[in-house]
Amino acid sequence: MRDLLGAEWLKAWSGRTWWIMAAVAVFMGLLGSSGATATADHQLAEGMTDNAAATAEVIRSWFSVLLASLLFGGVFVSREYGTGAVNRSVLLSGGRTRLLLAKTIVGTAMGVLFALLAVLLAPLSLWAFFGMFGLEAEWTREATLTLVGVFAVIVLAAPWGVLLGWVIRHQAATVATLLVVTLFVDETLFALLPEVGRFTMQISMGSVYRDGKEEALSIPWALLVITGWLALAGYAARRRLVTRDVT
């Protein structure tokens, strides 16, 4: 298993996927934090928020890095179907389940790296953008818990993408599905039917990074729902991998 993990780790760093997703992660994080700072500047001037809440909001804006982690996981698997390399990977891995497990572990490890990047840049962006607007940051327990939540959802997004990549298989379809579900379906369902939508993956992740939706699940229940979705995706991925041709 160690050799298989090493081989998959090398694959994760081959090609342009990792640095494109890293660039996307940084861009989205900076875009979100600059927008949150501009909004905080207006709200502070109007007395609609305070420095502690504004600080946590800028930290929270880095949750958007989960999209890069999610897409990396999906592409990490589906590109092998696109190139036809998945057949060779199955033959050399010693078993389909071993390959699924190895890719999930390596994809999750890459998610940890994306999460560490966000944890490093979030406080730096706070310092930079608050300085530009002449605002004063106030780091509180809420900011720390928010940063922990951001780290957690970015890590969890990676195996979610990996497992859906195994289920969908086609690279373009995987990317499109992940984007549509994450950006539109979950949020729309929550807006229309919050009692149902709060059990979706994205809304549950929002609870973990403390986005403050009133009808969302509590953090423990949200983590349980996320675990359930990952378990369901893992079951579907393995069943599809071991019962269908890898073509």
Side-chain angles (χ1 to χ4, degrees):
M1 192 66 180
R2 179 181 298 179
D3 291 340
L4 180 57
L5 288 172
E8 292 300 326
W9 183 250
L10 290 176
K11 286 181 186 177
W13 292 97
S14 65
R16 294 174 291 181
T17 303
W18 71 269
W19 67 259
I20 289 175
M21 293 306 171
V24 169
V26 173
F27 173 75
M28 295 189 69
L30 292 175
L31 186 65
S33 56
S34 62
T37 304
T39 301
D41 181 51
H42 171 73
Q43 291 180 338
L44 285 168
E46 297 293 329
M48 300 167 62
T49 188
D50 54 34
N51 289 339
T55 298
E57 190 61 34
V58 172
I59 297 300
R60 185 176 298 110
S61 68
W62 280 84
F63 83 89
S64 58
V65 174
L66 75 84
L67 195 60
S69 182
L70 177 72
L71 292 177
F72 177 87
V75 172
F76 184 44
V77 172
S78 58
R79 69 179 179 183
E80 293 210 9
Y81 282 97
T83 61
V86 66
N87 289 314
R88 185 169 62 251
S89 296
V90 168
L91 290 173
L92 296 176
S93 64
R96 299 185 184 194
T97 301
R98 278 168 54 88
L99 181 61
L100 184 149
L101 180 61
K103 280 196 177 293
T104 303
I105 292 173
V106 170
T108 304
M110 292 297 291
V112 171
L113 295 182
F114 282 119
L116 290 174
L117 182 66
V119 167
L120 173 65
L121 293 180
L124 292 178
S125 71
L126 175 69
W127 172 77
F129 290 125
F130 266 43
M132 290 172 59
F133 281 82
L135 305 179
E136 183 178 350
E138 184 179 344
W139 195 279
T140 61
R141 181 173 178 270
E142 175 67 17
T144 300
L145 293 176
T146 300
L147 190 59
V148 172
V150 167
F151 177 89
V153 298
I154 296 172
V155 173
L156 293 171
W160 179 237
V162 168
L163 295 172
L164 291 183
W166 282 115
V167 173
I168 301 171
R169 297 188 170 193
H170 190 279
Q171 184 168 319
T174 299
V175 171
T177 300
L178 293 176
L179 288 174
V180 169
V181 171
T182 302
L183 298 178
F184 301 107
V185 175
D186 289 2
E187 292 288 348
T188 301
L189 183 60
F190 181 71
L192 296 176
L193 295 169
E195 64 274 13
V196 176
R198 62 182 179 170
F199 292 100
T200 61
M201 191 64 155
Q202 181 59 32
I203 301 303
S204 296
M205 286 184 169
S207 296
V208 175
Y209 61 77
R210 308 168 74 84
D211 66 354
K213 287 186 173 65
E214 292 185 358
E215 297 179 282
L217 297 170
S218 63
I219 293 177
W221 278 107
L223 289 171
L224 188 61
V225 169
I226 291 171
T227 302
W229 277 114
L230 289 174
L232 180 62
Y235 172 79
R238 183 180 180 279
R239 182 168 179 79
R240 186 164 167 77
L241 181 60
V242 300
T243 59
R244 300 291 182 85
D245 291 337
V246 284
T247 55

